[in-house]
């Protein structure tokens, strides 16, 4: 199993971003705003919603009583902690100057047909280049070849990024040949850690947050809400790595990370962007230990 521990990205680290920052009008100190009006600040690249009507010259990011912070603008939603809030544009092309060595990349909750990744060593020689099809259709026959509909590959990771470079500049592009907008919920550059080996007996399920309610006539209605993937991984750890794994898991408490149960093609369902709720390590043998890791997806 691999855990990707993210490096925090900020809008200032992006040297290019083709997604325009035009979600709402730019905040103006002289404007008389009504309650509920939304504005953007190009300095913070965030959206703010008015809570108190009137004119006030205090910057929205410095006045939480008057302005509610509603998160990043569309161009930078892919660096917030939630994978459900997507950057959405016809074709997404972004370049980030990480300023630190990284060993893995993750792209979560995508829409599109192709992902292209390139990276240079501080703008000099190319150190990484890949093109990935986002078609996850299962073609097992001639009939499937002609008639199987496009199935979106939503999540993708790379754990072979060259970590020896201390200042990689990474560019990625998501395109959709059908002409629909491309989307991405979470772009992550990360340190990667291998945590034991996933065993059979691990479980994957779905937790639905929809609520069933009844009206005065006792008729049932379903208030449909989101759902998350929940997983329990059974891992086997060498005795010598158990201390390291416990230290890592304590470090990752409440840190949104990417968990990868199996790296082989076809096992993408073992990927989750989320956090772990608990882990248990029964001490059973002198040579190795078993670990159970409970993970909940973050939407």
């Amino acid at each position: 199993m691999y855990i990707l521990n993210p490096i925090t990205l900020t809008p200032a680290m992006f040297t290019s971003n083709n997604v325009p920052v035009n979600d709402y009008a730019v905040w103006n100190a002289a404007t008389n705003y009504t309650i509920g009006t939304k504005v953007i600040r190009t300095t913070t690249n965030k959206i703010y919603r008015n809570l108190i009507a009137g004119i006030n010259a205090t910057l929205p990011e410095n006045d939480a009583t008057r302005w509610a912070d509603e998160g990043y603008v569309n161009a930078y939603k892919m660096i917030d902690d939630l994978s459900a809030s997507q950057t959405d544009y016809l074709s997404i092309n972004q370049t980030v100057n990480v300023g630190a060595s990284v060993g893995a990349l993750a792209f979560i909750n995508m829409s599109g047909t192709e992902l292209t990744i390139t990276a240079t060593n501080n703008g000099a020689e190319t150190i990484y280049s890949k093109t990935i099809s986002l078609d996850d259709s299962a073609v097992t026959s001639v009939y499937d070849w002609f008639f199987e509909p496009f199935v979106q590959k939503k999540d993708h990771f790379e754990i072979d990024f060259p970590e020896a470079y201390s200042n990689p500049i990474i560019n990625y592009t998501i395109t959709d040949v059908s002409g629909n907008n491309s989307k991405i919920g979470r772009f992550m550059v990360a340190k990667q850690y291998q945590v034991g080996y996933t065993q059979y007996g691990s479980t994957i399920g779905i937790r639905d947050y929809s609520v069933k309610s009844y009206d005065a006539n006792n008729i049932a209605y379903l208030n449909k809400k989101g759902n998350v993937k929940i997983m329990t991984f059974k891992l086997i750890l060498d005795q010598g790595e158990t201390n390291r794994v416990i230290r890592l898991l304590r470090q990752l408490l409440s840190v949104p990370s990417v968990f990868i149960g199996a790296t082989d093609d076809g096992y993408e369902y073992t990927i989750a962007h989320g956090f772990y709720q608990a882990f248990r390590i029964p001490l059973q043998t002198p040579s190795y230990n078993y670990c159970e890791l409970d993970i909940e997806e973050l939407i």
Side-chain angles (χ1 to χ4, degrees), residues 81-224:
D81 286 337
L82 301 177
S83 57
S85 60
Q86 295 172 297
T87 294
D88 182 341
Y89 197 55
L90 183 61
S91 176
I92 299 170
N93 183 285
Q94 299 173 324
T95 303
V96 61
N97 188 342
V98 182
S101 60
V102 300
L105 309 175
F107 305 84
I108 305 297
N109 195 19
M110 290 183 292
S111 292
T113 55
E114 187 174 86
L115 168 67
T116 302
I117 310 167
T118 58
T120 64
N121 177 24
N122 198 26
E125 75 273 18
T126 298
I127 59 173
Y128 198 81
S129 180
K130 278 191 178 181
T131 299
I132 300 100
S133 170
L134 299 180
D135 185 354
D136 206 23
S137 306
V139 177
T140 59
S141 67
V142 174
Y143 178 88
D144 290 342
W145 177 264
F146 286 100
F147 300 108
E148 175 71 10
F150 174 81
V151 176
Q152 180 69 61
K153 180 179 183 179
K154 287 185 169 292
D155 303 328
H156 181 76
F157 63 86
E158 296 289 347
I159 55 174
D160 62 347
F161 195 84
E163 199 165 356
Y165 296 93
S166 61
N167 192 25
I169 298 177
I170 302 167
N171 172 270
Y172 74 90
T173 302
I174 304 173
T175 55
D176 193 319
V177 296
S178 67
N180 295 321
N181 277 12
S182 302
K183 301 176 185 179
I184 179 170
R186 187 76 164 90
F187 166 58
M188 182 185 293
V189 297
K191 297 288 187 179
Q192 59 159 302
Y193 299 93
Q194 185 170 2
V195 179
Y197 299 92
T198 304
Q199 303 296 295
Y200 286 109
S202 299
T203 60
I204 300 173
I206 298 292
R207 176 175 293 143
D208 187 9
Y209 289 100
S210 299
V211 177
K212 184 173 69 173
S213 58
Y214 297 86
D215 65 10
N217 297 316
N218 209 31
I219 297 175
Y221 294 90
L222 183 65
N223 182 13
K224 189 169 178 59

Side-chain angles (χ1 to χ4, degrees), residues 2-3 11 20 46 56 62 74 96 133 144 156 184 205 233 248 254-255 261 282 289:
Y2 284 87
I3 301 178
K46 286 193 170 184
N56 189 288
N62 296 333
N74 178 46
V96 61
S133 170
D144 290 342
H156 181 76
I184 179 170
F233 285 113
L248 173 65
S254 303
V255 176
N289 295 313

Side-chain angles (χ1 to χ4, degrees), residues 2-6 106 108 157 188 256-260 271-274:
Y2 284 87
I3 301 178
L4 307 188
N5 182 14
I108 305 297
F157 63 86
M188 182 185 293
S257 306
V258 170
F259 299 85
I260 305 167
I271 303 172
H273 170 249

